[in-house]
Amino acid sequence: MDCSPYHPREGCQNRGSINSSSRALLALLSSGILDTEEPSSRAALSQLSTLCKPVRQRALPLLFASVKWPHPQKIDSKQQLQFFPRELWGYFRSFSLEWPDEWSLQERPRWGLYHIPLTGDYDAGTSIEPLIESLVHIPTIETFRLDCPFFPSNRLFKIIFRFPKLRYLVVCDTPIYMTPSWGPEHPCSQLEVISLSPAAEALNVGNEVGDPRLLDAEYQRYPHREKFMKNIAFARGAAKRMLDKVASTQNLLKLEVSTALCDFTTLTHMAWDRLKTLVITGPVPPKPLNTYDRWQGHVLDVVELMPQLKNLRLLLTQEGGRAEGIPQLALVKDARAPPSVLSRLSTLAVSLAVDLTGALEWTTSLKSLSILAISQVPIKPTAIRQDAVPALLGEGTRTLERLRLIVEDEPSPSFCKWIAERFPALKHLELEWKGFVDGETPWGWDDFAKVLSVLPNLTSLRLALKFPVTSDMDRKFELAREFARLVPTLRTIGFEFQNDFGKDGWMDWDITRRYTPPNAQSRKGSSLSLTRHWRSPDVWDINAY
């Protein structure tokens, strides 16, 4: 959108009709129906905002609530990066420092200056001065995201941690370095969520890659990504200093951190009284050299310090050089000491790199369980086979309401029948096939619907079913309608599919049922509306805590 001050469109004479249209648009904006995150909606809203001042005044807070900087085309005559006009700053709620990909293609990222001559690492230097000078005057930011191929300065981090309303902080694919003396005088007391992942950490979750850029081989070969992974020690020190400050506020509700940045022992030295969600990504921590070597700590040592923890996600990667599919981190550290802390959990998500032996019998309060196949790009993960699932799940899982599994082999009606009998309280079920391919399924599609129809509370279903490559949208739609008919409790139904580029995803239908009285002449019917989206590598709800 053009960020210049408002100038009425020439030739605009009929103020009455414009005001009438404005009122209709303002009602739509106020209703929350308009999705301002959808690109076409934002483009339409941007155009409409030029109609007249009342519409513009209502549109600007929506258009600029979430912003990214720098903009590839916003460069002044002196080749300096331009920042947003000051009159827009008060609308900012979510801010992303996200370096354009095309600026990172070179050996030296564009606008980057050398930071540490001995290593050749980068710092944006004076090129981000417009950002730093402006941020000190923007107290409205609640979410800040860093995604850039250079070391953000200590000064920038100090400003970020002083935001009085900051609730979410995300640092991804970004090298970080802080001096030992770093530390804001008054760290943000409102911070509820922090997510730290190192440069070049890229996850394959089943058939899906969280960041679409990771599908580009050229992007993975960016020189700065490999360079910063070699200097991971800088990032570890910075992560510890940041977490020390965050933990001291006693307000954090969700922590997401990679084992490449922080080990379990480090986390045990901090207080986490209010934490509800803990997400651990990255490689499996090394095993102790002997039974007396406890310097790595254990994840349950951390969980014991989190009395409010309900949601634990161990999304560790299967590493190359080891036997694929063999668990590498035991969730139960000592079979002789019952892990009673697991009884607090209502949600558990693990990758196949986590050994659940003896753990699930203690998860007596568990409502949601996900068992995923995760690896570091470009390694392909290995998933669990269906015939191994019954032995894996303990007695503590019988009350599950949500179940998500990524399996190695094609889901079968018999496996779905076992799930329906084993988990009668299920409300949400997702079965993803890691090796999904198009083709003809050997089973009848209605066989799946019939065995799952016995679940009285099933409202959401996602299922990997084969479709012929030439299958059109109508065929998928009819199958969705058939599932809606055979499983009357369903509100959403989704199928895994491959697009023309071989990318896997989920095609979802929302089911709206219209019921008529028994004595009415019209028949009871249902209608389906089609929506499509890609799943995030996070589990269930990325904002849940």
Side-chain angles (χ1 to χ4, degrees):
M1 176 180 177
D2 182 7
C3 301
S4 58
Y6 165 72
H7 295 288
R9 181 177 294 177
E10 293 183 5
C12 193
Q13 302 294 332
N14 191 344
R15 305 301 300 176
S17 61
I18 290 179
N19 289 336
S20 176
S21 301
S22 300
R23 284 193 295 270
L25 179 59
L26 294 180
L28 179 62
L29 297 178
S30 302
S31 69
I33 296 175
L34 189 64
D35 181 7
T36 56
E37 295 300 319
E38 208 280 320
S40 61
S41 296
R42 290 183 64 86
L45 184 57
S46 179
Q47 285 188 325
L48 288 171
S49 68
T50 65
L51 286 176
C52 60
K53 193 170 184 177
V55 174
R56 183 176 176 88
Q57 289 175 337
R58 291 298 299 269
L60 288 180
L62 297 174
L63 287 171
F64 292 97
S66 178
V67 296
K68 293 195 300 184
W69 187 89
H71 192 290
Q73 278 78 50
K74 298 296 182 180
I75 302 170
D76 63 21
S77 58
K78 298 180 180 180
Q79 290 298 297
Q80 295 296 314
L81 301 178
Q82 290 183 310
F83 197 67
F84 296 90
R86 193 182 187 95
E87 58 265 27
L88 300 176
W89 295 358
Y91 303 132
F92 298 172
R93 298 296 181 270
S94 176
F95 193 98
S96 179
L97 173 54
E98 186 173 334
W99 225 240
D101 290 339
E102 59 268 28
W103 290 2
S104 301
L105 285 172
Q106 299 84 8
E107 173 66 26
R108 177 181 175 185
R110 191 177 181 189
W111 310 105
L113 302 178
Y114 284 110
H115 176 64
I116 302 176
L118 293 178
T119 63
D121 293 322
Y122 309 115
D123 184 339
T126 58
S127 63
I128 64 168
E129 279 301 312
L131 169 68
I132 293 177
E133 296 297 333
S134 302
L135 287 180
V136 296
H137 303 291
I138 309 177
T140 57
I141 293 177
E142 300 175 4
T143 299
F144 201 98
R145 183 176 184 271
L146 279 163
D147 183 353
C148 50
F150 52 78
F151 284 105
S153 66
N154 285 4
R155 184 184 174 198
L156 175 59
F157 275 114
K158 282 189 175 183
I159 293 172
I160 293 172
F161 272 79
R162 288 173 183 160
F163 288 142
K165 296 183 179 181
L166 187 68
R167 298 177 58 212
Y168 303 87
L169 176 60
V170 179
V171 181
C172 63
D173 207 10
T174 300
I176 50 178
Y177 171 76
M178 294 175 182
T179 59
S181 61
W182 176 87
E185 295 80 2
H186 304 287
C188 44
S189 60
Q190 303 300 316
L191 192 66
E192 297 178 352
V193 178
I194 185 169
S195 175
L196 304 176
S197 58
E201 181 169 280
L203 302 184
N204 263 328
V205 182
N207 295 323
E208 303 170 39
V209 176
D211 189 336
R213 296 176 300 180
L214 300 174
L215 296 174
D216 184 354
E218 186 177 16
Y219 175 79
Q220 294 185 44
R221 291 193 297 267
Y222 284 2
H224 72 276
R225 305 182 83 241
E226 182 178 357
K227 185 185 297 291
F228 284 125
M229 283 304 291
K230 293 179 180 178
N231 298 325
I232 192 66
F234 292 140
R236 291 194 186 108
K240 183 180 184 303
R241 294 182 183 97
M242 291 175 66
L243 293 179
D244 275 334
K245 293 297 180 181
V246 170
S248 67
T249 67
Q250 299 283 314
N251 285 324
L252 203 67
L253 299 179
K254 178 179 178 180
L255 168 63
E256 181 172 347
V257 66
S258 171
T259 55
L261 296 177
C262 184
D263 58 34
F264 295 136
T265 297
T266 298
L267 294 177
T268 61
H269 294 160
M270 304 172 188
W272 308 102
D273 293 346
R274 295 187 62 203
L275 202 75
K276 295 182 179 181
T277 297
L278 175 63
V279 183
I280 303 293
T281 62
V284 176
K287 293 182 179 179
L289 299 177
N290 55 64
T291 56
Y292 301 101
D293 183 4
R294 291 177 51 83
W295 70 270
Q296 293 96 342
H298 189 274
V299 63
L300 291 189
D301 297 332
V302 181
V303 173
E304 288 176 354
L305 301 176
M306 301 173 174
Q308 302 298 320
L309 191 73
K310 300 296 182 183
N311 188 333
L312 177 62
R313 312 178 192 182
L314 301 176
L315 310 182
L316 303 176
T317 57
Q318 298 170 356
E319 298 182 54
R322 301 189 185 188
E324 290 187 340
I326 298 179
Q328 300 164 22
L329 174 68
L331 185 53
V332 177
K333 61 179 179 177
D334 188 348
R336 296 168 297 179
S340 57
V341 292
L342 294 178
S343 63
R344 305 176 193 162
L345 300 179
S346 60
T347 298
L348 176 64
V350 298
S351 70
L352 206 59
V354 178
D355 185 356
L356 291 176
T357 302
L360 294 181
E361 60 185 278
W362 298 100
T363 54
T364 52
S365 301
L366 203 63
K367 298 297 182 183
S368 301
L369 175 64
S370 299
I371 301 177
L372 311 173
I374 301 178
S375 65
Q376 171 76 13
V377 174
I379 298 172
K380 295 295 184 182
T382 299
I384 191 171
R385 295 189 62 83
Q386 293 171 75
D387 55 11
V389 173
L392 179 66
L393 302 184
E395 291 301 314
T397 60
R398 287 193 175 273
T399 58
L400 282 182
E401 297 179 357
R402 291 175 175 261
L403 178 63
R404 181 186 178 194
L405 297 174
I406 298 180
V407 294
E408 187 71 25
D409 43 342
E410 183 180 1
S412 65
S414 61
F415 183 57
C416 291
K417 181 180 180 182
W418 176 84
I419 290 176
E421 294 173 348
R422 181 66 169 74
F423 307 109
L426 273 186
K427 297 180 180 179
H428 307 270
L429 173 63
E430 180 175 320
L431 293 180
E432 179 179 334
W433 178 18
K434 200 272 295 185
F436 179 82
V437 293
D438 282 319
E440 292 288 354
T441 179
W443 301 285
W445 288 333
D446 58 344
D447 293 338
F448 292 91
K450 289 177 181 177
V451 298
L452 293 173
S453 64
V454 301
L455 291 170
N457 302 311
L458 188 65
T459 59
S460 176
L461 175 63
R462 275 181 162 179
L463 192 59
L465 291 180
K466 277 185 176 180
F467 286 95
V469 177
T470 58
S471 177
D472 57 21
M473 187 67 66
D474 290 341
R475 189 172 185 182
K476 295 180 176 69
F477 180 83
E478 289 304 318
L479 179 58
R481 183 181 293 278
E482 186 68 4
F483 266 84
R485 184 182 68 82
L486 294 174
V487 188
T489 56
L490 279 183
R491 296 176 185 173
T492 61
I493 174 69
F495 302 120
E496 193 172 6
F497 78 104
Q498 287 184 331
N499 63 17
D500 295 338
F501 302 98
K503 180 177 174 63
D504 293 335
W506 292 96
M507 186 177 296
D508 292 348
W509 281 265
D510 294 328
I511 302 170
T512 302
R513 302 180 187 274
R514 296 189 179 91
Y515 293 96
T516 56
N519 58 351
Q521 293 183 355
S522 60
R523 295 182 178 181
K524 179 175 65 177
S526 63
S527 62
L528 306 177
S529 59
L530 176 64
T531 59
R532 181 187 298 181
H533 64 87
W534 304 95
R535 177 176 290 282
S536 162
D538 203 359
V539 183
W540 298 119
D541 182 1
I542 197 168
N543 293 317
Y545 54 83

